[in-house]
Amino acid sequence: MNDVLAPPRPPQRRARVASIAGAALGAMLLAGACAPSDPNRSGLLQPYRIDLPQGNYLTREALVRVQPGMTREQVRFALGTPLLRHAFHPDRWDYVFRYQFANGRAELRRATVFFRDDKVHAIETGALPEREDPTDPALPGYRAPDQTPKART
């Protein structure tokens, strides 16, 4: 009767711990195999991440409409309200667009309009897309194409 209630002997305890550790390791390997391989998607036990667009989406096509000599109101009508208006540089409007992908990669686009006597004096830009491209994921309203295979009928 004492043998039934007695704690297991050390060799039996080691075998039990080893089998539990092996089962846990096997479960972790199986769970890791279930994680998606797509870098844009979150894996197992990770929060869901979305693409995050911020700022003014601009293209070269839209920026060509802004010409030297235009007033601030004309620029605002053509490009929208600037994201940044400097308190110490009132004659400078910065249009900034930042798109952060779900995988953490970020893309930054920038255009700066300079005014002199309340008229456009100069424009500086970084790399901007030529025109609105429906395949550009940064385009507002973009929807990724459906990746699921269609069933044959």
Side-chain angles (χ1 to χ4, degrees), residues 56-68 70-82 93 95 111 113 115 120 123 132:
N56 304 83
Y57 182 84
L58 287 180
T59 62
R60 289 205 179 278
E61 188 177 63
L63 213 54
V64 166
R65 291 183 283 190
V66 177
Q67 298 294 323
M70 291 177 75
T71 65
R72 292 175 190 262
E73 289 304 314
Q74 291 171 320
V75 173
R76 185 177 287 123
F77 182 77
L79 301 179
T81 303
W93 283 3
Y95 290 87
V113 180
F115 295 93
V120 173
I123 302 169
E132 287 187 3

Side-chain angles (χ1 to χ4, degrees), residues 64-151:
V64 166
R65 291 183 283 190
V66 177
Q67 298 294 323
M70 291 177 75
T71 65
R72 292 175 190 262
E73 289 304 314
Q74 291 171 320
V75 173
R76 185 177 287 123
F77 182 77
L79 301 179
T81 303
L83 184 66
L84 297 173
R85 280 191 273 178
H86 295 271
F88 300 112
H89 303 285
D91 292 336
R92 172 183 173 155
W93 283 3
D94 285 308
Y95 290 87
V96 179
F97 180 77
R98 185 173 189 270
Y99 189 81
Q100 183 166 348
F101 294 89
N103 64 4
R105 184 175 62 91
E107 183 177 312
L108 184 67
R109 301 174 188 172
R110 178 180 302 233
T112 305
V113 180
F114 295 95
F115 295 93
R116 184 178 292 158
D117 299 325
D118 285 335
K119 306 265 186 200
V120 173
H121 172 68
I123 302 169
E124 290 180 4
T125 66
L128 295 175
E130 207 46 52
R131 63 184 54 85
E132 287 187 3
D133 180 7
T135 61
D136 184 3
L139 182 67
Y142 169 80
R143 293 196 181 257
D146 189 12
Q147 301 282 330
T148 57
K150 306 232 181 213

Side-chain angles (χ1 to χ4, degrees), residues 22-76:
L25 180 63
M28 287 179 7
L29 288 173
L30 286 175
C34 296
S37 60
D38 185 4
N40 293 329
R41 297 184 187 248
S42 296
L44 188 65
L45 302 176
Q46 291 181 349
Y48 176 72
R49 300 183 193 279
I50 61 170
D51 293 343
L52 184 62
Q54 295 177 316
N56 304 83
Y57 182 84
L58 287 180
T59 62
R60 289 205 179 278
E61 188 177 63
L63 213 54
V64 166
R65 291 183 283 190
V66 177
Q67 298 294 323
M70 291 177 75
T71 65
R72 292 175 190 262
E73 289 304 314
Q74 291 171 320
V75 173
R76 185 177 287 123

